Amino acid sequence: MGNYSKKSAGKIRQSRSQIPAAGKVLATSLVVSAAALSGRAMAATPYISIPTVTVNQFDLTNPILGAQTLGPSQVAKYGLKTSNTADILDGILGGSVFKTGGVSGFPVVHGLMDDQLHVSYGGMQLNSACPNHMNPILSYLFPSQVGAVTAYTGIVPVSVDGNSIGASVVVHPAPPKFAMPGKTRVSGSVGGYYRSNGSATGGHLAASIANDAFSMKYSGDVSHASDYKAGGDFHPSGPAAMGRSSIGGDVVGSSAYSTSNQQIQFAYRHGSQLADLSVNLQDIPYEYYPNQRMDMVENKSTLIHFNYRDRFDWGNVKLHLYHQDIHHTMDFGSDKQYMYGTTSGMPMKSHGHIDGAKLDGTIHLDSANLLRTGLLFHSFRLNDYWPPSGTGMMAPNTFDNINDGHSNRYDAYVEWRGQWSSQWSTLMGVRSDTVEQNAGEVHGYNMMYNMQAAAFNAQPHKKTDRNWDWSLQAKFQPTAMQKYTFGVMRQERSPNLYQRYTWSSMPMVAVMNNLVGDGNGYVGNLNLKPEVAYTAVLSGEWASINHGLWKIRADAYLTQIHDYIGEQCAPGTTCQAGKFNVLQYVNQQARMSGADASGKVLLAQTRTAGEFFLNGKLSYIHARNTETHDGLFGIAPWQGKVELAQNTAHWDNAVDVQFVGAKTNVSSIQSEPQTKGYTIVNLHAAYKTGNVTIRAGIDNVFNRLYYNPQNGVYVGQGMTMMLNGIPAGITVPGPGRSFNIGFDAHFA
């Protein structure tokens, strides 16, 4: 047995390929059989050579070079704290969240957000069908539906996806579970939470049944919250708007929401093949927005996704087919003025549908070289129209904001990974993205809009962008205790439909088209060019020998963006300092540079109190429009967190201090207010016994009133239809103190 242990077992390895758990069962059986055989043969033969056994498994989170990952245990911690899945990005070094509605935040990485980033779920990159981008891709998920997250915050491999100029955030659903051969597996989970600030409640339920070949799972989530309170008064108390109820001076108007998601999933595996089909249904009866002039009063979505994987001797393939149908409605919620003379509200409707197909293949050229290649087709159709209301400026016709808009993408890429030695590896690739866009003719509510509509209709609307991405990065790992990654890349992104095809600069209309939550009005630009970003990144990681005592990571980056989509005063208008204005999208130049650092150290390890860790992260960014010499909107120059954590067999406790630096380098064209730096303290505790986990915590322990520059500008109450009918220069404050409690229970 000694010879077997030293030589034969050394030949057993885990492949980079991916097949289902049946492969693991088969491989384990072979290993056990081989061990038994060697025991019987020991007397006759001192050495038995056993063939190499390749153990393969599906690992949906298997990252390419240079990625950060959040596993299931890390993701699970966010279920108590938030209903906004994008908040999970707080766990990524260099990542944060731009707050919008209660479940619809935008991921932010290194100062870029929303469409500037590539964000995908289960292989799908979905589009927002809303002039305020109230339904971004992560708004269709609850934290409980997320299995893991992979984030490429430095160099983004071309195989991940294109049509972006920043990081890539890949959200993985929890993989289907199967039973052992001849067995039936029944499993599930249930959980809920309560947060005192805003009386936020939520719950989730999941149940699955499976044998060794088929699996079926249902999951559902619901959440509800009233307006939350800040840590102190920031506006006068009284009626939220004419004809509306009174709210306190510390109440953040238009921050309430109610939402539900349901999913059913079917999966089948056979040999090395895995196929699954899922259907997601979302119903949001309302989600109000403190940094937008409109509120979501309905969002219904049906999302169908088919996923297929297989492994061959030469490599593996992945196929994704998906379709989404979106019906979205906005109007004034309960904290915003509803009646304007004879006009009752301002109904705005969007209907979008998405169809996509994505095929990826990995070819094992040899033991040291991989070739990845793939194709993508993605089609987005959008009708954005506003039915008439009353008998005044918003009648008698329907207003066409975007009529029969569509955007088609045709992508192809090739990428090569080379392992030159045990210390050096490289990854390089090139991607071609062809984006075709068009929109039909438009008209306004009445003859007041005829001149602008005629000018828009007279111009050619069809646009074709031929974009190119490339990336090159290398990893040097001289020892197990240190690793260095460096690289450069080029990325290109086409404007979205709202940036190109919105057409009226009338203030009442323009303020309803706003993708960034700054309170201004926006009008599109048919002459926009794609944004082109060049990025260089250097990253280093250092750790103790067993990675358990301490670990440090540091990144530095520089991004130069040509034809950056910025803002200028809309033609025929004059911008006023300190006021809301009507702006137009325009190509400019921008530069972003910064550094991130994170660390973890084991402070103490005791038999009775468990382990004590000190964790921390810090990010700095300098972002500037180099053409106007303005700062860029919604960017926190300094932010970070320090956490003292204690872990035992049953307890997981922590106290953390979050801090954000003062924002003085503001966007003057957008009348962005300056904000002061702040710190807030949070307490968290979790107790696990068996399959039940109970979580409790206090957020913002000292009830601090603070303003995060990534919260947008407060337009959550009052006469929001009028350009300057509400005060400018107020940042949406963060939540005050909240007492939180929740639980999760799993069975089988």
Side-chain angles (χ1 to χ4, degrees):
M1 285 297 291
N3 288 333
Y4 167 76
S5 300
K6 294 180 181 178
K7 297 183 179 180
S8 300
K11 297 181 181 181
I12 300 175
R13 60 183 175 84
Q14 181 170 339
S15 169
R16 293 178 296 268
S17 308
Q18 299 177 341
I19 64 172
K24 292 195 295 181
V25 175
L26 175 60
T28 303
S29 300
L30 289 172
V31 172
V32 173
S33 300
L37 177 62
S38 66
R40 298 189 190 103
M42 277 287 289
T45 308
Y47 172 76
I48 296 177
S49 177
I50 298 176
T52 298
V53 178
T54 302
V55 180
N56 305 291
Q57 65 180 33
F58 275 109
D59 182 4
L60 302 184
T61 66
N62 184 30
I64 307 173
L65 185 65
Q68 300 182 57
T69 59
L70 295 177
S73 61
Q74 295 166 291
V75 170
K77 296 180 180 180
Y78 287 88
L80 168 67
K81 297 180 61 177
T82 182
S83 303
N84 188 348
T85 302
D87 283 340
I88 294 174
L89 268 295
D90 280 334
I92 294 293
L93 182 60
S96 57
V97 180
F98 188 91
K99 304 292 185 180
T100 54
V103 298
S104 301
F106 297 151
V108 182
V109 180
H110 295 164
L112 298 172
M113 67 177 179
D114 196 23
D115 280 358
Q116 295 171 319
L117 306 179
H118 161 250
V119 182
S120 66
Y121 171 66
M124 301 175 287
Q125 185 178 5
L126 307 179
N127 301 89
S128 185
C130 170
N132 299 151
H133 273 202
M134 291 180 175
N135 44 22
I137 179 171
L138 296 185
S139 68
Y140 294 103
L141 307 173
F142 272 75
S144 63
Q145 293 178 286
V146 177
V149 177
T150 304
Y152 299 88
T153 58
I155 301 301
V156 180
V158 298
S159 58
V160 175
D161 216 330
N163 199 38
S164 67
I165 56 169
S168 178
V169 179
V170 182
V171 179
H172 309 279
K177 297 179 180 180
F178 297 90
M180 297 293 288
K183 302 291 184 180
T184 299
R185 175 191 176 109
V186 178
S187 61
S189 64
V190 62
Y193 65 83
Y194 170 77
R195 300 192 294 269
S196 65
N197 195 341
S199 299
T201 58
H204 66 268
L205 171 70
S208 66
I209 184 171
N211 58 23
D212 63 324
F214 292 94
S215 174
M216 182 176 70
K217 179 182 179 181
Y218 166 83
S219 61
D221 297 80
V222 295
S223 68
H224 169 87
S226 303
D227 289 345
Y228 72 81
K229 292 183 178 181
D233 291 351
F234 69 99
H235 65 78
S237 60
M242 186 177 69
R244 299 297 195 179
S245 300
S246 292
I247 61 175
D250 61 346
V251 174
V252 179
S254 301
S255 57
Y257 61 87
S258 179
T259 178
S260 68
N261 282 340
Q262 297 185 80
Q263 181 189 69
I264 188 166
Q265 180 187 45
F266 304 93
Y268 169 75
R269 71 175 183 180
H270 176 71
S272 62
Q273 302 175 76
L274 174 66
D276 66 76
L277 175 69
S278 63
V279 180
N280 286 65
L281 302 175
Q282 183 185 78
D283 181 15
I284 298 182
Y286 63 89
E287 182 184 6
Y288 301 155
Y289 283 73
N291 60 8
Q292 291 288 0
R293 294 170 180 266
M294 301 299 294
D295 295 312
M296 182 193 297
V297 296
E298 181 184 69
N299 197 85
K300 292 183 179 293
S301 164
T302 301
L303 175 61
I304 303 172
H305 178 212
F306 174 76
N307 171 35
Y308 173 81
R309 290 175 169 84
D310 199 0
R311 189 190 76 85
F312 304 92
D313 292 338
W314 49 266
N316 58 64
V317 295
K318 301 177 184 178
L319 173 66
H320 298 276
L321 302 174
Y322 53 92
H323 169 80
Q324 185 183 31
D325 192 71
I326 308 162
H327 291 271
H328 174 76
T329 304
M330 295 193 300
D331 211 325
F332 302 117
S334 58
D335 295 325
K336 294 168 183 170
Q337 184 168 325
Y338 187 73
M339 294 298 301
Y340 292 83
T342 63
T343 300
S344 55
M346 187 177 182
M348 302 168 62
K349 294 183 177 292
S350 303
H351 180 206
H353 54 95
I354 298 166
D355 295 284
K358 183 181 180 184
L359 178 65
D360 298 285
T362 300
I363 303 172
H364 300 283
L365 300 176
D366 54 42
S367 60
N369 292 275
L370 287 177
L371 187 70
R372 296 185 180 95
T373 185
L375 301 170
L376 169 74
F377 169 72
H378 181 90
S379 174
F380 176 44
R381 296 289 186 272
L382 175 67
N383 278 292
D384 193 308
Y385 58 98
W386 308 349
S389 178
T391 59
M393 294 178 61
M394 295 171 53
N397 303 317
T398 293
F399 184 95
D400 289 327
N401 196 37
I402 294 179
N403 178 34
D404 192 26
H406 62 265
S407 179
N408 293 335
R409 280 179 58 195
Y410 308 89
D411 295 11
Y413 74 86
V414 61
E415 182 176 84
W416 170 47
R417 194 202 75 179
Q419 186 74 44
W420 302 96
S421 68
S422 60
Q423 296 179 333
W424 282 98
S425 61
T426 58
L427 184 69
M428 60 185 71
V430 62
R431 185 183 189 100
S432 168
D433 295 351
T434 299
V435 180
E436 297 177 346
Q437 294 182 339
N438 206 343
E441 294 190 349
V442 298
H443 61 75
Y445 287 117
N446 49 54
M447 61 184 300
M448 291 175 54
Y449 301 87
N450 286 354
M451 183 177 296
Q452 288 188 341
F456 176 85
N457 293 336
Q459 300 179 69
H461 297 171
K462 186 175 182 180
K463 303 291 180 180
T464 301
D465 301 326
R466 292 180 172 85
N467 304 331
W468 289 92
D469 294 359
W470 53 258
S471 66
L472 170 63
Q473 61 180 318
K475 182 181 74 172
F476 175 55
Q477 189 166 0
T479 69
M481 299 172 60
Q482 53 185 313
K483 178 174 64 176
Y484 305 94
T485 305
F486 49 92
V488 291
M489 66 178 175
R490 179 191 196 271
Q491 297 172 289
E492 196 162 2
R493 169 194 170 263
S494 291
N496 62 44
L497 295 178
Y498 287 102
Q499 290 171 324
R500 262 186 171 150
Y501 294 113
T502 50
W503 54 275
S504 177
S505 61
M506 292 280 193
M508 184 191 70
V509 171
V511 294
M512 307 305 170
N513 285 291
N514 184 305
L515 306 180
V516 294
D518 63 5
N520 295 294
Y522 282 84
V523 60
N525 187 342
L526 284 168
N527 297 316
L528 285 179
K529 300 175 183 178
E531 298 175 300
V532 181
Y534 294 90
T535 300
V537 177
L538 173 63
S539 176
E541 294 183 40
W542 303 267
S544 59
I545 294 177
N546 61 4
H547 287 225
L549 297 179
W550 59 270
K551 185 175 182 180
I552 299 173
R553 173 172 175 152
D555 303 336
Y557 59 91
L558 172 66
T559 298
Q560 180 70 42
I561 306 175
H562 300 289
D563 293 320
Y564 176 82
I565 298 178
E567 305 83 17
Q568 67 179 3
C569 293
T573 68
T574 301
C575 288
Q576 303 180 60
K579 298 286 187 180
F580 295 119
N581 297 288
V582 177
L583 307 176
Q584 183 182 41
Y585 297 109
V586 64
N587 289 119
Q588 295 171 338
Q589 308 294 314
R591 181 184 299 122
M592 301 178 181
S593 58
D596 309 311
S598 66
K600 178 178 182 179
V601 59
L602 176 63
L603 298 177
Q605 188 172 23
T606 69
R607 179 172 298 179
T608 56
E611 298 176 328
F612 291 82
F613 286 94
L614 183 65
N615 307 313
K617 69 172 186 175
L618 175 67
S619 294
Y620 167 75
I621 180 173
H622 179 75
R624 198 163 187 83
N625 185 316
T626 56
E627 187 164 317
T628 65
H629 305 291
D630 249 358
L632 298 183
F633 181 82
I635 293 177
W638 288 95
Q639 58 182 322
K641 180 173 71 172
V642 178
E643 178 187 68
L644 177 62
Q646 178 215 10
N647 301 320
T648 68
H650 295 285
W651 286 95
D652 186 356
N653 307 316
V655 53
D656 70 66
V657 179
Q658 296 180 337
F659 54 90
V660 172
K663 173 68 181 291
T664 58
N665 182 28
V666 297
S667 173
S668 58
I669 186 70
Q670 295 170 271
S671 298
E672 181 181 16
Q674 296 186 1
T675 55
K676 297 180 180 180
Y678 65 87
T679 59
I680 57 174
V681 179
N682 309 301
L683 300 176
H684 308 287
Y687 177 75
K688 183 175 182 180
T689 175
N691 295 324
V692 178
T693 301
I694 301 173
R695 304 180 189 275
I698 307 174
D699 290 339
N700 195 355
V701 172
F702 300 106
N703 202 30
R704 178 81 181 270
L705 175 62
Y706 67 95
Y707 299 91
N708 189 328
Q710 293 185 313
N711 283 3
V713 173
Y714 185 63
V715 290
Q717 61 184 95
M719 193 183 295
T720 60
M721 183 187 288
M722 311 304 293
L723 179 62
N724 283 293
I726 49 179
I730 304 173
T731 301
V732 177
R737 181 167 47 234
S738 181
F739 297 92
N740 312 325
I741 189 168
F743 78 96
D744 291 287
H746 299 263
F747 58 89

